[in-house]
Amino acid sequence: MYDTLAAVVVLSLLSHAYFKRNEPQPFQFLGYLAFGSTLSFAGLVGIHKATIFQALLSTILYASLYLAVLSTSIIAYRLSPWHPLAAFPGPKLAVISKWWMVYNVLGKGGRHLTLQKLHNNLGPFVRVGPNELSINHASAVRSVYKLDRAVFYQATPSKGDAVITVLDRQRHATRRQAWARAVTGEAMYSYIPPTQRRIKQFLEIIQQQTSAGKKVILDHWLSLFFMDLMGDMGFSGGFETMKAGEDKDGWIDILGKGVMFTAAMGQLPWLKTIMMLLPQRGPIESFQNFTHDKILEIQKSPKKDMRQDILSTVMDHRPGSTPLTLDEAAADSALIVVAATDTGIQTALSFVRYICVDQEKQRRLQKEIDEVFDQTGELDVKAVMHLPYFDACIQESLRIMPPGPFGPPKTTGETGARILDTWIPPSTTVHVPVFALHRDPANFGPLADTFIPERWLESEITSTLDKQKLLPCNREAFVPFSTGYSSCIGKQLAQQNLKIFLAYLFHAYEILPSSDFNAKEFDASYKEYGLWTHDPFKVKFIPRQ
Ligand code: HEM
């Protein structure tokens, strides 16, 4: 008996040594466990002539002992001075298990603040997982962002890869070229007329709500606006949520939950194999049906009739490149909505949130914007792209509340990497905590938590405002769109959408927060789940003369 128990302990320790190098998939591990248990059961019955009941009990005992020793050995190793990341400080629970991060994302929604606090206390390198480091330093940004993507991205709940989840660099580059054709250069300008049509519709709704004396829940209408807009740009139409006054299919909600799911499960990518077995019902299924129909529509349409939308351009592969599979096209379709809606909503919301509480800033902004509208109310789209104060307000909105507060996770791969003159061992996941970086006084001065667009205007820093308070303004530490080979390909399109939308809005209305608005409470309501959630934001629109 004792010999067998000792053998189980040795087997556990040996399998830990093996799994450290060859991490098994969940079903593979269960397969090993089932195989071992079957051997034990058969041996007990066949060789030791045990009864079935005795054999079953003993097998359960051996399996439990095996799992207990394996877990203890893993935890002891992670906490030990022999672990390659032992020199980096971090919370014990984070060092032991990735579930610490999952809890901080799903359980608390306060990961952005947890990371900020940890860095304030422990310095630029913090161990936030058994094999993961958070690196909060402006000079680390470029070295981190040029590394390969971590397996985090493989947790996305879809069968095929979207451009954003492709790990292979060459395949990613080809997919990215197709996206570049769809959302940059000439293509970008073709989206201006549909954008203006949607803005007109949005303004009409605001007018109706305002003349009926209603307060407007801005985030609700922003969600519908960006959803309809991306329906037009992405698929040549298909969403009419503003008209309905609601997202009746629940797609915004479900795609947001998909991001939350990835943010949490990306910590445990092995869980995807299990999750994918669950039946996908409700909004996710109806969204998949929608994209499936659009994909077939594009596949069937003759080339000369190709529509000018993101999906058809992304699917229009060039000679020599592999066409997208149906699953890949479906994954890119979801990305069109995920990448562009919530990021747009959150940026526009932060912009309005900070401008509407400060009349001086709002008047200065409107003065600048009014100059690019003619007498008939027509906007000079080219000119609106080059308004310095407007630009500074958008930068500041993206700095203070970056729509992607957790930086893209990368891996040091098989070779390891040198970051900030520190050697990071192979197979370490590293990321830059964007929220903490953007709010760090080392990068944005003592008023890093305050919305001050002037910090982006060099002329103002040297003249009117107190230099001490606004400097430094470290552009290297400003990464709302990420940077490097996998940075946001839609950056310019995003800025075009936001500028045209916000220019029309502030040209037509003076915007005030509702009388019960409490800035402190509202800001404290922000929770980070890979994307932001917060309390509703109600505003009053006052038509301008
Ligand atoms: C304010 C608005 C936006 C922000 C702040 C933003 C931010 C980002 C960030 C941080 C990434 C890198 C994510 C990662 O690597 O995990 C990214 C990637 C991406 N974004 Fe955006 N984005 C915005 C709008 C858009 C728009 C309008 C589009 C196009 C319709 C778009 C398309 C993409 C795509 C396709 C990628 C993946 C790029 C690649 O894998 O090479 N984004 N975005």
Side-chain angles (χ1 to χ4, degrees):
M1 170 79 170
Y2 289 114
D3 287 355
T4 318
L5 292 178
V8 171
V9 171
V10 171
L11 183 67
S12 302
L13 297 175
L14 286 178
S15 45
H16 177 203
Y18 176 74
F19 293 153
K20 236 179 359 175
R21 289 172 200 286
N22 313 285
E23 203 173 320
Q25 288 299 312
F27 289 118
Q28 211 179 351
F29 178 72
L30 289 177
Y32 292 149
L33 198 62
F35 179 69
S37 302
T38 312
L39 272 188
S40 146
F41 184 81
L44 287 165
V45 175
I47 301 170
H48 295 283
K49 306 293 175 214
T51 64
I52 290 192
F53 182 68
Q54 281 169 337
L56 199 64
L57 267 189
S58 302
T59 302
I60 291 173
L61 173 72
Y62 298 151
S64 309
L65 180 67
Y66 171 81
L67 290 174
V69 175
L70 181 63
S71 315
T72 313
S73 161
I74 291 173
I75 292 172
Y77 173 65
R78 288 175 176 176
L79 289 169
S80 75
W82 299 286
H83 191 282
L85 297 187
F88 297 95
K92 289 266 179 297
L93 287 176
V95 167
I96 288 173
S97 168
K98 294 286 275 178
W99 286 100
W100 175 86
M101 187 72 95
V102 176
Y103 168 68
N104 270 281
V105 180
L106 290 187
K108 290 201 334 195
R111 175 173 57 174
H112 61 302
L113 298 176
T114 305
L115 291 179
Q116 191 184 34
K117 206 163 141 197
L118 282 170
H119 281 292
N120 286 345
N121 294 335
L122 301 174
F125 290 95
V126 177
R127 191 171 167 198
V128 291
N131 298 308
E132 183 161 347
L133 294 177
S134 175
I135 308 178
N136 184 30
H137 199 290
S139 308
V141 168
R142 282 187 193 282
S143 335
V144 169
Y145 280 61
K146 72 177 185 207
L147 296 174
D148 288 345
R149 282 177 170 152
V151 283
F152 167 91
Y153 289 93
Q154 291 295 304
T156 313
S158 66
K159 290 185 201 141
D161 270 319
V163 62
I164 201 167
T165 62
V166 178
L167 298 187
D168 179 77
R169 289 281 274 262
Q170 211 170 348
R171 177 75 181 139
H172 170 256
T174 317
R175 298 274 300 266
R176 192 172 159 93
Q177 275 166 14
W179 266 87
R181 287 196 296 276
V183 299
T184 62
E186 280 303 304
M188 233 173 77
Y189 305 117
S190 68
Y191 302 128
I192 293 173
T195 309
Q196 285 177 312
R197 276 198 297 279
R198 285 297 180 190
I199 293 171
K200 204 167 155 249
Q201 187 186 1
F202 181 87
L203 291 176
E204 278 162 12
I205 291 170
I206 298 299
Q207 197 198 352
Q208 285 159 13
Q209 301 255 323
T210 310
S211 47
K214 290 184 188 164
K215 275 183 212 156
V216 176
I217 302 179
L218 189 66
D219 33 325
H220 169 74
W221 289 104
L222 284 178
S223 301
L224 305 187
F225 167 76
F226 277 101
M227 185 76 183
D228 288 354
L229 181 63
M230 288 326 292
D232 297 346
M233 289 186 183
F235 315 99
S236 289
F239 309 146
E240 287 301 337
T241 62
M242 275 198 285
K243 199 165 158 196
E246 58 174 336
D247 168 28
K248 53 183 181 338
D249 294 307
W251 290 346
I252 300 176
D253 190 45
I254 196 70
L255 290 169
K257 289 212 169 83
V259 177
M260 272 187 204
F261 174 88
T262 308
M265 290 307 134
Q267 306 304 324
L268 308 159
W270 51 268
L271 264 185
K272 177 180 171 179
T273 340
I274 299 168
M275 293 297 180
M276 288 302 283
L277 295 178
L278 300 176
Q280 296 184 345
R281 300 250 179 278
I284 193 78
E285 198 173 31
S286 80
F287 183 74
Q288 281 165 353
N289 291 340
F290 166 83
T291 54
H292 190 249
D293 290 350
K294 287 282 177 188
I295 292 164
L296 293 185
E297 208 176 287
I298 292 166
Q299 280 176 337
K300 279 185 203 147
S301 67
K303 271 229 168 351
K304 63 181 166 43
D305 290 345
M306 263 302 199
R307 294 115 27 122
Q308 259 294 329
D309 60 41
I310 299 175
L311 184 60
S312 52
T313 314
V314 165
M315 285 176 64
D316 180 23
H317 74 104
R318 292 287 144 109
S321 69
T322 328
L324 293 191
T325 64
L326 202 65
D327 286 338
E328 286 172 332
D332 267 351
S333 304
L335 179 64
I336 291 171
V337 183
V338 171
T341 50
D342 195 67
T343 48
I345 297 162
Q346 292 309 328
T347 313
L349 189 78
S350 304
F351 186 100
V352 178
R353 142 69 191 99
Y354 286 102
I355 294 293
C356 81
V357 294
D358 188 325
Q359 287 313 297
E360 204 180 308
K361 286 190 175 63
Q362 186 160 176
R363 272 195 295 278
R364 179 170 179 189
L365 176 75
Q366 281 164 332
K367 189 164 175 281
E368 205 183 58
I369 285 174
D370 289 348
E371 279 169 23
V372 292
F373 279 89
D374 69 14
Q375 298 294 329
T376 62
E378 207 48 47
L379 172 71
D380 181 341
V381 174
K382 249 194 184 149
V384 82
M385 298 299 153
H386 305 285
L387 301 179
Y389 190 67
F390 190 16
D391 210 43
C393 292
I394 290 190
Q395 302 261 93
E396 189 63 348
S397 309
L398 286 163
R399 183 192 70 81
I400 204 150
M401 273 298 164
F406 186 75
K410 306 280 183 172
T411 175
T412 55
E414 286 173 12
T415 54
R418 183 160 289 284
I419 297 170
L420 290 179
D421 272 341
T422 300
W423 173 247
I424 315 290
S427 305
T428 306
T429 300
V430 287
H431 82 273
V432 174
V434 177
F435 177 85
L437 190 78
H438 282 193
R439 298 287 193 108
D440 193 337
N443 300 321
F444 294 100
L447 298 180
D449 282 331
T450 314
F451 182 87
I452 308 177
E454 288 78 5
R455 71 172 84 242
W456 298 100
L457 301 168
E458 264 160 45
S459 56
E460 308 218 0
I461 294 178
T462 45
S463 59
T464 48
L465 283 153
D466 188 350
K467 250 185 178 183
Q468 299 291 322
K469 288 187 181 153
L470 295 193
L471 290 176
C473 178
N474 188 350
R475 285 161 201 262
E476 217 186 355
F478 178 63
V479 279
F481 292 100
S482 166
T483 178
Y485 72 94
S486 61
S487 66
C488 179
I489 191 84
K491 177 179 171 181
Q492 282 159 308
L493 180 61
Q495 286 179 334
Q496 174 177 289
N497 292 345
L498 284 162
K499 285 186 178 174
I500 300 179
F501 173 71
L502 291 165
Y504 273 103
L505 198 62
F506 280 92
H507 181 60
Y509 290 101
E510 184 182 336
I511 308 178
L512 297 173
S514 70
S515 45
D516 57 355
F517 176 70
N518 180 323
K520 237 184 179 170
E521 273 175 24
F522 178 74
D523 294 345
S525 76
Y526 269 73
K527 299 237 181 294
E528 192 255 305
Y529 298 102
L531 44 71
W532 296 113
T533 66
H534 43 73
D535 286 349
F537 183 57
K538 291 184 224 140
V539 289
K540 278 186 276 185
F541 283 94
I542 301 165
R544 294 179 70 215
Q545 295 307 315

